[in-house]
């Protein structure tokens, strides 16, 4: 698998640098017959875009998707779908300084060590701008998953700095009935409407301080039938972990109760089953790497942005000590735009596993008994 | 990538069920010239074996490795290395009942839903017995990494239930100077000698209660040169996440500070660099998916064992409600044997990335400036 | 894809050297529910075995297949199926000389240059003994293809040295009505019964002369539905070419009319279609890399055996000129045993493409109009 | 490996339809530091372009390559290189009829059967226009192979219809001293200058007749070091066979003497070795799937164009019998433009194998003895 490609059968290859002429992707292996139009990408791209609120970077990209191939008469044909977005707001002015310095917390130094050459403009290939194409590709995956299987993949922010949702148990979020309209109605993808104002103040103060914080995003996929995922190294949770950890700034991934399971007793953790449904969902909808039919629950940790106007000791390309100060446009919390990206990666994993499942097990008919999802 | 294979260039395919005739693996792509003898596998296999202490399952497997191919005159030849271990202590008696029930917290139901057929003996393919071959394959990887690059991959347990190491900051463990001899000298792979007796009591009480607990394992790889790992989807941390999450019972993976980064400020998290070395290692040795030359730090959450003699509501293959009671041999804490398995997966990822790095970047000479690892 | 693995979804990894302890394979991705027993492998393995007639090498291997995993209660479970054959007639005596020389026409020198080490016993990994496992794995593929789709994959020899089938147009062989019972009834897999005695004399004279000849094998797959194969690099014919060229001693592969098409006119070559069926099959059942529903026809060229008792100038491992004389057990025509191997590779390609097709196009229902195979 | 991607480490994914907005490719895994400019693609793209002589299709494409990513300051950075060519001469007029018919000898029917939908404009994805991107990607591979290893990959036409080179033994072409300037100086890539006029007449008569013929292309790669290629399924010749067979209209592939080896004696075919060099090259530079250091020789059969103005029985999308007449712009011999495409595929295989070789065997130093290429 080439490093810039994701998925074995629904294979998405992305390309492009932050301040190069364009970013794009090629989706190989897409089922034929899916309705796809350029405007279908707008909603999710807008959800992840910068510049929509004062809390995210001021960079404003039109993010107009051009479909270069693989769609005929409004439907996917089964051949590669290439999507292209021209970079329009790539300010290529003051790179002289940045080209000379390795910014702490960034990939500048590691790309340099790997390749002996790097594109320093806006972080080059290591920029989160690449995630635009993940979101675009996942629009198609989400549509297929929804139409063929009734699957919904939705995420929300569940922690920012040390702020957590009031009065709700994060581990039982979906069961507690998240109001997804609330999540959609605030720039933080926050599930508790009453806290939005507090978060606005929190972010304003943070921006003023010149510092940044991390965030936690939860993603919940409902409607996934039992049986998706493959044994051992192709486990559904293993691929979710890779998919989510591949997002810029992610430092941790949990499935179900995650690290909370360390302190749990087995008698409490294992999800009892009855013919009427599962009685709990500590596992997060996956057992032995294969979906159980319950809601699939992932949680993701984002580190705080490293680009700050506060100086930090760094090193330049000549090996000299320097003080690094970042003056460009940056998010004080990268997690603010991360929800649609996390959803996208979960959708891409599910899409790929769905195709792999029917490849191997298309001969297996309906399997009884089927246990209802029950408590999610 | 087939589901039972791991790695792109150092590709390990495992096979075998818990109570089938044998388990084994095929390692394809191994560099030629590595000294390999059957006895080389004993040390790490013994570290993960059951039946060594009263705290783990009583199943006792000889785990004698037969080398079937790929080694000539004591050295790897570059052709596939097949390793085989016959199962000798597979008690195949009372499977009638287990074949009829889906055990909560196990893969019984999900395998059934996927394949419409399952080998119920001892968990079949979903048994942790498969991890034996991960450890065996990693013996070769560890040797190559050590001999060619001076890399050491070592792990220890850092939480069991709610017990954590006394007087040490887990996030700074290695820097604080873990005494690996202490870890090697107790059955818990615990880094604090003074707590071993407490853990003995803890485990005895747990076993007596019939219940189980989860555990946290940390793995630290030192000596990894900067530049390993690939951009975007082939990120070193993404592959570590998949590798570790693919281990049975794992529910969470962290790189560096992991979920603690959510509440951190950017000014605290980003690791300052000086010509004399990095000043901290919150990132866990990876930036932009590529190694920085610092210690690589991972942390893994294991859920508590689901097989208990305490009854739990379950469902049988006919869809009836049943009370499931497990009477077989099981570990009250699967994490107790997990340390060498976690080490193995980290070693396999590093080995594979090392080969991929020199494939693409073998033309890149020594890259200056090189920043010392500094604070790990 | 590791070098010793074949297939993306029905993935077969083989291992083992000619005179090592064993050869074997792991089949990952096999659909569940296929009936498999050790004795099922006997028929095809006997067809490719040495030592059955005076025209093939005297090496006699029992070729008893042990199923190590992936089969429960007589059926495939969807987990990896490992097959093992112990080497029993590996004479390890006179390797001192062979270890010192590079035999012309063999892989001795090239393995040495690649790896700097080689297993010289009986050709090591480069021995045709490896093909035993291809035949074994394909037994499962052939069964599934036959049971699910009514596909038959059959081959015969169509040239040995300069002898060709009397009175039959090779390019129209199947259409002319090959009697597969004739093919099965002679040791040459020859389609014309009247020529078998002539071939016996031919081979006796050849063996007496100490020399060897090449051979051509044709394989015909009937019953393949239209639509299998993938565009561009995953073309059905591209994968057949790789599969067949990967067999030891193969120097050429043709699909349909192959090289004869060079001198044909377009008006003659293109296969006219009518609602009642295709009027010819110059294409060999594949158009644009995708099956047309007609018979798939491949033809394969095998070079003459290089191991002869006639001396040939060679070089030893010290760089000295030597005369190489081979006294071991060798076939005067490797093509004699190649028919089941060629069939196996065609079956493995079809099996893999069948799974890939339903992965991507499982949503596509019956497509009209369907043109009958007609002239094959 | 997705179907539209080629290569494991130097991975080229192409996209685009004949008459869609654009064609393009993404090259993932390219070594960093290679000098690349848009104008570097012009030479080889012009060699494969249509409309240069009266013997090829009148379609005229500017084929101006835009580099969208992966190149900074004129050098490859190691990140994906995306190349884009806008389609400028895609006449989208009379597709009504072609959309209703399946053209015999084309992929119309098979794409329809596979996907249930197809882009009928100019053959859609099945058009040879896709090969433009193979040639473009191979420009980079050829450069690296030449600069790092002194490798030259060159091809010529060696048969068109029943015309063969005068006075030269095709199998010994390179050894006989092809004058590559002659090949470059005529529109047929023909190696014998004296025959060019004859070919002009031949093609004029053919075009007038409304019919087409097939062609044979030979490709010779010199300078390939011994040791490239992998065992068993990753054999150098197996991958060359797949690569060449994946080109539109190819029906056969030979390595070295190919099908001529069938009638050869072993004593004649095996290439004797001396310390001063190989004495012949029947093997085509590959033994056991690994390069021997001799010239690598491949030969490829192209079928005659199926699109003719001469009518042929066909079927329409409603299942009715129709007479198909093609009036568009088409080559009377697709082989005329195939030489650079064949070269491209050989170069892509070598590039990929070169990277794979150093991945696994980078530890292996210079291996003695090294036998000179000698007779090629």
């Amino acid at each position: 698998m080439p490093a810039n490609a994701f998925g074995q059968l629904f294979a998405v290859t992305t390309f492009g640098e932050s301040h190069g002429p364009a970013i794009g992707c090629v989706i190989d292996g897409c089922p034929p017959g899916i309705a796809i139009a350029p405007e279908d990408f707008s909603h999710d791209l807008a959800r992840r875009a910068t510049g929509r609120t004062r809390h995210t970077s001021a960079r404003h990209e039109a993010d107009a998707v051009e479909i270069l191939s693989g769609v005929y008469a409004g439907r996917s044909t089964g051949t590669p779908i290439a999507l292209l977005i021209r970079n329009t707001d790539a300010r290529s002015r003051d790179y002289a300084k940045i080209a000379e310095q390795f910014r702490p917390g960034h990939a500048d130094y590691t790309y340099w060590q790997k390749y002996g050459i790097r594109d320093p403009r806006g972080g080059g290939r290591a920029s989160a701008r690449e995630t635009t194409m993940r979101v675009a590709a996942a629009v198609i995956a989400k549509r297929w998953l929804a139409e063929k299987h009734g699957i919904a993949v939705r995420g929300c922010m569940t922690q920012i700095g040390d702020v957590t949702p009031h009065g709700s148990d994060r581990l039982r979020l979906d069961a507690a009935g998240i109001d997804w309209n609330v999540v959609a109605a605030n720039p933080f993808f926050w599930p508790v409407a009453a806290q939005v104002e507090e978060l606005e103040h929190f972010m304003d103060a943070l921006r003023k301080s010149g510092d940044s914080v991390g965030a936690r995003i939860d993603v919940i996929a409902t409607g996934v039938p039992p049986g998706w995922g493959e044994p051992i190294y192709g486990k559904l949770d293993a691929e979710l972990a890779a998919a989510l950890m591949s997002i810029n700034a992610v430092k941790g991934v949990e499935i179900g109760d995650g690290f909370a399971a360390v302190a749990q007793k087995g008698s409490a953790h294992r999800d009892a089953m009855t013919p009427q449904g599962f009685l709990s969902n500590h596992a997060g909808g996956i057992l032995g790497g294969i979906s159980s039919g319950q809601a699939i629950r992932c949680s993701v940790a984002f580190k705080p942005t490293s680009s700050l106007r506060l100086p930090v000791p760094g090193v330049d390309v000549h090996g000299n000590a320097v003080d690094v100060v970042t003056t460009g446009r940056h998010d004080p919390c990268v997690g603010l735009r991360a929800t649609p990206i996390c959803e996208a990666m979960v959708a891409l994993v599910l899409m790929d596993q769905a195709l792999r499942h029917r490849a191997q097990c298309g001969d297996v008919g309906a399997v009884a008994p089927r246990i209802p999802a029950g408590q999610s």
Side-chain angles (χ1 to χ4, degrees), chain A:
Chain A
M1 190 79 62
N4 294 277
F6 185 84
Q8 294 183 34
L9 297 185
F10 189 85
V12 181
T13 302
T14 70
F15 62 84
E17 278 80 31
S18 177
H19 291 207
I23 56 171
C25 73
V26 183
I27 304 164
D28 199 356
C30 183
I34 305 175
I36 303 171
E39 56 271 22
D40 296 342
F41 302 97
S42 310
H43 177 67
D44 268 2
L45 290 183
R47 291 173 74 218
R48 87 158 275 298
T50 50
R52 290 194 309 151
T53 78
R54 67 180 183 277
H55 306 301
T56 58
S57 156
R59 177 173 178 171
H60 192 79
E61 288 287 353
D63 287 352
V65 172
E66 184 184 11
I67 301 173
L68 294 177
S69 65
V71 176
Y72 178 70
R75 301 239 161 222
S76 63
T77 62
T79 62
I81 300 171
L83 305 178
L84 190 75
I85 296 178
R86 293 278 169 182
N87 289 326
T88 54
D89 189 20
R91 304 188 191 167
S92 297
R93 33 179 179 95
D94 48 34
Y95 289 120
K97 200 175 81 181
I98 215 172
E100 291 282 302
Q101 295 184 345
F102 303 121
R103 294 168 299 162
H106 281 276
D108 299 349
Y109 174 69
T110 55
Y111 270 63
W112 182 254
Q113 285 294 326
K114 183 172 194 67
Y115 298 119
I117 180 177
R118 72 187 172 102
D119 178 346
R121 301 167 302 169
R125 182 67 182 151
S127 163
R129 177 121 185 89
E130 184 272 342
T131 60
T132 310
M133 299 318 303
R134 306 184 186 213
V135 172
V139 165
I140 300 173
K142 280 179 168 182
R143 172 164 296 180
W144 186 88
L145 291 167
E147 292 185 355
K148 293 281 163 188
H149 295 281
I151 293 170
V153 181
R154 291 176 294 209
C156 60
M157 182 177 275
T158 53
Q159 189 177 345
I160 178 164
D162 49 12
V163 184
T164 54
H166 287 172
S168 73
D169 175 359
R170 192 190 60 76
L171 292 180
R172 305 280 86 77
L173 263 182
D174 197 40
I178 289 184
D179 184 342
W180 294 106
N181 292 323
V182 168
V183 173
N186 71 79
F188 309 106
F189 299 88
W190 197 257
V192 182
Q195 282 178 288
V196 172
E197 199 182 331
E198 171 192 349
L199 288 174
E200 299 271 7
H201 295 311
F202 177 89
M203 287 303 301
D204 286 341
L206 180 67
R207 202 169 53 253
K208 209 164 293 177
S209 75
D211 216 330
S212 62
V213 290
R216 179 196 277 267
I217 307 292
D218 276 56
V219 180
I220 297 161
T222 55
V224 178
W228 289 10
E230 295 196 284
I232 313 303
Y233 307 107
K235 285 189 168 103
L236 184 51
D237 36 1
E239 298 201 348
L240 287 168
L244 294 164
M245 192 69 89
S246 79
I247 301 172
N248 308 43
V250 171
K251 302 306 289 181
V253 178
E254 297 181 317
I255 304 294
D257 286 2
F259 281 90
V262 171
Q264 292 171 351
K265 289 283 167 62
S267 55
H269 180 90
R270 58 183 180 175
D271 301 306
M273 301 187 289
T274 74
Q276 292 72 42
F278 289 87
L279 299 184
S280 58
N281 186 11
H282 298 280
I286 302 173
L287 289 167
I290 299 172
S291 61
S292 67
Q294 294 192 274
I296 290 175
R297 294 172 37 238
C298 316
S299 191
V300 188
F302 284 81
K303 70 175 186 181
T305 317
S306 297
S307 297
L308 308 173
R309 62 170 198 265
L310 308 174
V312 60
V315 173
D316 69 14
V317 296
H318 311 295
N320 303 313
V322 288
D323 260 0
V324 175
V325 177
T326 308
T327 52
R329 305 163 296 180
H330 293 281
D331 294 330
C333 176
V334 288
L336 284 199
R337 300 193 283 128
T339 296
I341 305 169
C342 291
E343 290 174 2
M345 294 316 294
V346 171
L348 291 178
V349 168
L350 290 173
M351 180 82 202
D352 195 53
Q353 288 276 9
L355 301 187
R356 284 151 65 183
H357 177 65
R358 76 177 177 190
Q360 184 180 14
C361 298
D363 301 334
V364 179
V367 181
R370 182 81 40 124
I371 300 171
Q375 187 73 9
S376 64

